[in-house]
Amino acid sequence: MSARPQRSLYRTFPYVSHLRVYEPLDVFDDDQQLAILEQRARGRHATEVLERSDAVRRLVRAVSDPFPHSTSDLVRVLHYPGHEGSTRRLYCPNQLAVRTSLAAESLGESIHGPLVDVLVPEVAREAHAARIDPDSFADSLARLHTRSATWGVPFGWFVLLHEEDHSEVVEDDGKVQTVRLSAPVSQCLDRARRATAALALAAPELDLLDELDELANWLEIFSEDAVLELDYGPVAELVFPDDSPSDVRLGIESLAEGDMTGAAASYRRLANRWIPIRQLARAS
């Protein structure tokens, strides 16, 4: 499936990919359902435009303050194929207030010294904390629908989504802007558990094992009717068509069979594809 946006905003931002969980309307509480119903008719591209426009406004503020000031939140809508040609409508709240809080916390752990206060001033952090309702913040934190990764897609995500899953390729003037793969959460959980079992026996020292365990624990909190989406973001232009899902799968299968040559070949293909992209994070 291919879609063409009205105008391209994808390449104006760094390479950020997202893993999102979409759930049925009845899973959300009354306030969330009202917010969803107000936005359910808006198209996906319009939502992406609103999110990026808001991000630009936060970045160009006269005073450094990356936090959202509005209490309203965007909702993404996924039209996922159902039985006999039907389509299910599922929803993913953006949860921007919680995600910016987590991002600021992560920044503070990775960058030390006065630079942190320059990027995220203490007065901005305090004002953001004062705007947040503690109960809704705790609920969103417990059911965080979106995970993000910069400068590439974590290999564990490719265990969850396969190349034959439902896909959407977003193009503009013949250039790929993003690629989205989606599959039922129950199916993604089965894939994670099978891969975890194989790696636990064949290669328990791999970091991928811990990553998959964490992903499985995260997916288990959502509805059985939920759908998981991998949104490549602008990095799709550099890798699409992408064989990473099959390379990760073949690598795990090779390890389980004791085929170290096959496992090394799979990893080499992945490294050749993704290491140059991750090195862009350190480019000047």
Side-chain angles (χ1 to χ4, degrees):
M1 177 179 178
S2 180
R4 178 173 176 171
Q6 298 171 6
R7 59 189 178 93
S8 174
L9 283 177
Y10 291 91
R11 287 196 296 273
T12 60
F13 284 80
Y15 293 131
V16 181
S17 302
H18 300 281
L19 197 61
R20 300 187 179 102
V21 174
Y22 292 77
E23 295 190 279
L25 182 64
D26 58 12
V27 169
F28 300 94
D29 62 32
D30 292 344
D31 290 340
Q32 290 174 314
Q33 288 190 27
L34 286 174
I36 289 171
L37 291 174
E38 291 174 355
Q39 302 184 52
R40 67 186 301 175
R42 187 177 58 234
R44 180 65 176 267
H45 177 68
T47 300
E48 304 296 344
V49 169
L50 287 172
E51 182 181 53
R52 285 162 174 76
S53 299
D54 181 60
V56 169
R57 284 193 293 270
R58 297 199 309 272
L59 289 172
V60 300
R61 285 172 180 160
V63 178
S64 181
D65 181 359
F67 297 103
H69 291 182
S70 173
T71 57
S72 60
D73 196 26
L74 292 174
V75 176
R76 283 177 173 78
V77 182
L78 176 68
H79 298 273
Y80 190 76
H83 298 293
E84 299 179 355
S86 63
T87 301
R88 290 196 293 149
R89 200 179 322 197
L90 304 165
Y91 308 94
C92 176
N94 206 28
Q95 300 171 301
L96 185 60
V98 176
R99 290 170 52 221
T100 52
S101 297
L102 294 175
E105 182 179 332
S106 176
L107 183 67
E109 293 173 353
S110 59
I111 299 177
H112 303 286
L115 182 58
V116 176
D117 289 328
V118 172
L119 296 174
V120 190
E122 184 176 354
V123 64
R125 295 196 298 267
E126 292 175 350
H128 178 62
R131 287 190 297 267
I132 291 176
D133 175 72
D135 292 334
S136 62
F137 183 89
D139 290 342
S140 294
L141 189 59
R143 292 178 64 84
L144 195 63
H145 285 69
T146 301
R147 291 185 169 220
S148 303
T150 55
W151 305 108
V153 178
F155 291 165
W157 295 9
F158 293 125
V159 173
L160 307 177
L161 281 306
H162 291 180
E163 64 279 359
E164 70 272 11
D165 290 335
H166 178 69
S167 64
E168 178 185 15
V169 180
V170 180
E171 297 179 304
D172 183 44
D173 290 333
K175 292 187 177 181
V176 175
Q177 305 300 307
T178 187
V179 174
R180 302 183 186 118
L181 302 176
S182 53
V185 161
S186 57
Q187 186 176 28
C188 298
L189 262 173
D190 287 342
R191 293 167 176 172
R193 288 166 178 158
R194 287 197 300 270
T196 297
L199 289 176
L201 291 174
E205 73 285 353
L206 287 185
D207 292 339
L208 181 59
L209 184 58
D210 292 333
E211 181 184 347
L212 289 175
D213 188 54
E214 182 184 354
L215 286 170
N217 290 336
W218 173 59
L219 292 177
E220 284 174 349
I221 68 176
F222 295 105
S223 162
E224 292 182 356
D225 296 323
V227 168
L228 183 68
E229 176 193 78
L230 166 57
D231 187 345
Y232 276 71
V235 77
E237 182 185 7
L238 303 181
V239 298
F240 186 78
D242 182 30
D243 294 326
S244 296
S246 60
D247 283 336
V248 170
R249 189 164 63 254
L250 287 171
I252 294 174
E253 291 173 356
S254 296
L255 286 172
E257 296 169 359
D259 178 8
M260 297 300 106
T261 301
S266 295
Y267 178 77
R268 190 160 50 248
R269 290 192 296 271
L270 288 164
N272 289 340
R273 188 177 304 124
W274 291 103
I275 287 179
I277 295 172
R278 290 168 180 165
Q279 287 175 337
L280 292 174
R282 298 186 291 274
S284 58

